[in-house]
């Protein structure tokens, strides 16, 4: 009997431990959420209409004088804050400055509603990380999460609460300057990295004083701007919208992003900023998004330019009804919504929904309890050694080795004579576009990184223009040529008509490479860019090419780490590198067409004057070691509808150096109710392998990964054959196939 009682007691104690009676994390979260809603409703009930419009109004601080519609003076800004007619400010930075303005809102306004301070913290704040497209080349979610977390810690120490990032626009056109700001051409990679960025910025809880509210942007389809010309119109079918452009935003919303920003572009005739389908139907209804939507800068007023609104009154009405909750910079909401309510063109209920969403975020951010920034934090947070090391590691992981004939790289650190030449050898352009408060003076240039790496006995020759570079090359045993593009030729408004190398300081960069290569010394090219560049001659004639990107403050050190073997590059391209501008658009997850390209057949889908393949494909990147793939195993030859499939393989380091390999899993739905891409990335894993080490890598293909929006515009997995590839890039890999079959009818079992 005693034993029975003991064991029963043990079972009870075990169960009690497993299911504690005190409210668990989930219960607590529900209580907090309920309390937040109560506080929102209580505050909303006390607000005048004017004060409600104030919460929907965001302005740039007067310092951004180049912004149209900007506040004319500090006095005007203070007055608007005091009267409760501004809910958020952009570009006010510095804890003292933010606190001073916050004090007006919290201590002098009638309802004491705190301000949200926002800024574009895209790839770092003071510690500038590689540009997002470069960090995507790491194919490492933890790298992006950590970089975003550091950025949030630095920015929040400067008084900021909200960043306009991550940018999740799918970019398939290198002419588009903002391809730099996203994570490339693939929906799955962008989804995984975008969710990681949101978690990094927002930390475990938005009320953490070091967290930033994230703002996935630009919703939606901005990257499909016709001709790669920024702000241009887009025509995107609903299938392509739902299967390509929206999934990253769905993933970011799923990661808890607090806000979303509208896109400038006209989407199929309805500008995104007035697009009911995007915001009311998809974001707020289908996805049940409970944060708020902010317009892009002046985008509500620009509905007039679009020819979609006749005047500001109409622009205010259509944006609000479409689900845009806050007006960035145009003041159209503040100036026009009062009349719209009086004329019953919008109801106060719609206004209240917008204001509720804004207040909800302010409560979630903890601003009512802790409106002021800690002014002592800055000194110990900004540019800390740990932050700089994190930036260096992110830059290393972003590097992509494009070519390395006869293992020319890595170079020896103690060679007698080395030339480092080209217009970007000692350039600070590595900070990239959208550098927030990053100071270019803090950039470690490629030359600086190399100087701190090589032996002090090495005779270093440098040169910028062609003559200097040729002379330096003649007197050296090896040459490193650093070419690329300026940060200002990328980013917003940074679209180019060509992705061939631009002249820099009057120097024809390709001509410089040709002239130096002709000297006949071992030659390495380092490319520092924020977009794919078309470099066919260089790719053909230069034995070693390292893509260093605009890799932030520590870029020069990271690039030198790789050039001299202290780091083995393992990055992979997040975007296809075309052979020429004319080959655009070219991306790996394209449709097959009825006449897929065949080099030896005229009437197939290709150009006559260049191969149908890109210069370097999506997912491509080499290493100083080599990896062998084998033993691809599929868990079954067929799975029932709704089932999942395990895929495994072995990857082995067959070289002499340790290195990272990004193992990639692709599928193809061979025949479906709408045409499907020839390949789609559905899994990846960056694994580190010592020489001779072998690892088994496993993936699970779930219905979520196999499904797509089909002919009926329903997300579904369809019956039929699927192909699977696992490999080192999107161009090849071990191939397998499986079939999705109907599940046996359940009632058939009952009959038996
Ligand atoms: C810009 C950009 C947007 C940015 C905003 C605030 O026009 O399109 O990405 O967040 O204005 O600077």
């Amino acid at each position: 009997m005693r034993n029975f009682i003991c064991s029963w007691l043990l079972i009870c104690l075990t169960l009690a431990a497993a299911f504690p009676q005190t409210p668990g994390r989930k219960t607590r979260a529900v209580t907090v959420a309920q309390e937040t809603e109560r506080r929102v409703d209580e505050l909303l009930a006390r607000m005048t209409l004017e004060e409600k419009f104030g919460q929907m109004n965001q302005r740039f601080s007067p310092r951004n004088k180049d912004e149209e519609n900007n506040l004319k003076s500090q006095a005007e800004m203070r007055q608007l804050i005091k009267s409760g007619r501004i809910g958020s400010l952009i570009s006010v930075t510095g804890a003292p400055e933010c606190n001073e303005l916050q004090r007006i809102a919290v201590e002098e306004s009638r309802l004491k509603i705190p301000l949200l301070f926002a800024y574009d913290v895209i790839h770092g704040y003071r510690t500038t990380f590689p540009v997002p497209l470069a960090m995507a080349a790491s194919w490492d979610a933890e790298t992006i999460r950590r970089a975003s977390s550091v950025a949030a810690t630095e920015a929040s120490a400067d008084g900021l609460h909200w960043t306009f990032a991550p940018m999740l626009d799918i970019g398939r056109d290198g002419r588009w300057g903002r391809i730099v700001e996203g994570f490339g051409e693939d929906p799955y990679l962008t989804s995984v990295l975008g969710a990681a960025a949101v978690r990094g910025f927002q930390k475990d809880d938005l009320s953490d004083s070091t967290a930033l509210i994230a703002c996935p942007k630009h919703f939606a389809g901005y990257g499909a701007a016709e001709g790669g010309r920024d702000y241009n119109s887009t025509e995107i079918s609903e299938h392509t919208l739902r299967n390509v452009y929206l999934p990253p935003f769905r993933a970011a919303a799923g990661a808890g992003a607090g806000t979303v920003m509208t896109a400038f572009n006209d989407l199929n005739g309805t500008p995104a900023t007035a697009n009911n389908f995007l915001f009311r139907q998809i974001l707020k209804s289908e996805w049940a998004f409970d944060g708020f939507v902010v317009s892009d800068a002046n985008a509500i007023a620009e509905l007039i330019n679009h020819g979609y609104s006749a005047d500001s009154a109409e622009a205010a009405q259509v944006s609000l009804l479409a689900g845009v909750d806050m007006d960035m910079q145009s003041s159209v909401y503040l100036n026009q919504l009062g009349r719209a309510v009086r004329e019953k063109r919008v109801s106060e209920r719609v206004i209240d929904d917008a204001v509720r969403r804004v207040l909800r975020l302010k409560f979630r951010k903890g601003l009512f309890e802790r409106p002021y920034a800690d002014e002592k934090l800055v000194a110990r947070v900004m540019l800390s050694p740990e932050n700089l090391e994190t930036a260096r590691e992110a830059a290393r992981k972003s590097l992509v080795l494009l070519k390395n004939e006869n293992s020319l790289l890595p170079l020896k650190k103690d060679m007698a004579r080395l030339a480092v030449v080209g217009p970007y050898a000692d350039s600070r352009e590595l900070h990239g576009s959208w550098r927030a408060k990053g100071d270019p003076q803090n950039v470690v240039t490629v030359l600086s990184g190399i100087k701190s790496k090589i032996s002090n006995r090495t005779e270093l020759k440098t040169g910028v223009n062609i003559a200097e570079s040729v002379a330096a090359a003649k007197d050296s045993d090896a040459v490193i040529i650093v070419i690329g593009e300026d940060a200002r030729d990328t980013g917003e408004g940074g679209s180019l008509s060509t992705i061939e190398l631009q002249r820099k300081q009057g120097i024809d960069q390709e001509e410089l490479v040709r002239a130096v290569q002709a000297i006949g010394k071992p030659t390495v090219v380092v490319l520092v860019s924020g977009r794919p560049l078309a470099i066919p001659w260089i790719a053909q004639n230069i034995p070693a090419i390292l893509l260093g990107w605009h890799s932030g403050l520590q870029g020069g050190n990271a690039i030198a780490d790789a050039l001299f073997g202290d780091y083995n590059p393992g990055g992979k391209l997040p975007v296809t590198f075309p052979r020429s501008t004319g080959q655009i658009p070219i991306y790996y997850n394209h449709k097959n067409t009825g006449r897929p390209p065949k080099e030896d057949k005229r009437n197939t889908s290709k150009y006559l004057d260049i191969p149908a393949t890109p210069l370097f494909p999506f997912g491509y990147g080499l290493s100083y070691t080599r990896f062998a793939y084998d033993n691809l195993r599929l868990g079954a030859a067929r799975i029932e509808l709704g089932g999942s499939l395990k895929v495994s393989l072995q990857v082995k380091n067959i070289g002499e150096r340790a290195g990272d390999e990004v193992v990639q899993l692709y599928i193809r739905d061979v025949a479906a109710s709408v045409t499907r891409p020839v390949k789609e990335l559905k899994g990846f894993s960056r694994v580190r392998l010592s020489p001779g080490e072998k690892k088994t890598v496993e993936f699970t293909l779930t219905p979520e990964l196999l499904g797509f929006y089909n002919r009926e515009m329903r997300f579904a997995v369809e019956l039929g054959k699927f192909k699977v590839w696992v490999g080192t890039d999107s161009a090849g890999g071990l191939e397998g196939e499986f079939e999705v079959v109907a599940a046996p009818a359940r009632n058939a079992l009952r009959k038996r």
Side-chain angles (χ1 to χ4, degrees), residues 18 30 35 56-57 66 98 110 118 143 338 364 375 403 509 536 571 639 641 652 687 725 746:
V30 171
E35 176 57 11
M56 301 163 73
N57 185 33
D66 57 344
C98 291
R110 187 178 79 88
T143 292
R364 282 182 182 166
E375 299 184 14
K403 191 177 176 186
Q509 297 191 79
I639 58 172
L641 201 55
K652 181 176 181 181
V687 295
W725 295 267
R746 290 281 171 263

Side-chain angles (χ1 to χ4, degrees), residues 203-452:
K203 313 276 174 103
D204 290 340
D205 189 303
L206 267 185
S207 63
D208 179 332
S209 63
T210 69
L212 286 184
I213 300 169
C215 184
K217 65 185 184 181
H218 305 79
F219 203 70
Y222 185 30
E226 200 167 291
R229 211 171 72 235
D230 207 356
Y231 316 112
N232 204 1
S233 301
T234 62
E235 293 289 343
I236 308 175
S237 72
E238 188 177 342
H239 281 113
T240 301
L241 193 66
R242 287 181 178 277
N243 288 323
V244 176
Y245 289 93
L246 295 184
F249 290 91
R250 180 75 185 271
T259 65
V260 167
M261 184 186 293
T262 71
F264 282 123
N265 51 290
D266 167 349
L267 173 62
N268 304 330
T270 303
T273 302
N275 201 303
N276 201 298
F277 173 68
L278 287 178
F279 294 102
R280 290 279 180 217
Q281 178 174 332
I282 292 183
L283 184 68
K284 293 183 175 180
S285 170
E286 288 181 25
W287 299 355
F289 178 71
D290 72 351
F292 71 85
V293 173
V294 63
S295 76
D296 202 335
N298 205 42
I300 294 177
E302 289 171 12
L303 293 175
I304 300 166
N305 295 345
H306 275 290
Y308 190 77
S309 298
D311 52 31
S312 298
E314 197 180 315
Q317 176 184 336
V318 295
S319 300
L320 179 72
L321 295 179
V324 180
D325 305 303
M326 184 181 279
D327 166 13
M328 184 190 292
Q329 192 189 334
S330 81
S331 292
V332 166
Y333 275 7
L334 188 70
N335 299 334
Q336 298 294 339
L337 285 180
R339 208 176 104 206
V341 172
R342 286 192 297 279
E343 294 171 0
K344 300 201 183 324
R345 286 182 286 111
V346 298
S347 71
E348 193 159 354
R349 184 181 49 75
V350 175
I351 301 281
D352 286 354
D353 177 64
V355 177
R356 180 174 283 114
R357 289 169 179 269
V358 175
L359 295 178
R360 182 179 295 142
L361 259 296
K362 293 189 173 185
F363 278 111
R364 282 182 182 166
K365 192 70 194 76
L367 294 185
F368 288 85
E369 288 70 33
R370 208 184 43 255
Y372 302 117
D374 176 348
E375 299 184 14
K376 299 184 298 302
L377 266 181
V378 171
R380 66 172 187 269
V381 161
M382 298 302 180
L383 294 164
S384 69
E386 301 76 21
N387 293 356
L388 292 174
E389 184 48 36
T390 304
R392 184 169 183 162
E393 185 55 24
R396 284 184 187 135
K397 288 208 164 173
S398 305
L399 300 175
V400 182
L401 182 62
L402 295 175
K403 191 177 176 186
N404 193 22
E405 234 159 42
N406 307 320
S407 300
L408 172 57
L409 287 174
L411 299 172
K412 295 200 178 332
K413 296 178 185 176
D414 60 356
M415 65 178 73
R417 304 176 305 162
L418 173 67
V420 180
V421 300
Y424 290 93
D426 204 22
S427 161
R428 300 184 188 285
E429 294 299 324
L430 273 65
H431 59 67
S433 172
W434 293 105
R435 59 179 160 82
K437 289 295 179 185
D439 180 352
Q441 289 311 311
N442 294 331
V443 167
V444 176
T445 68
V446 177
L447 182 60
S448 311
I450 291 172
K451 280 179 179 172
S452 59

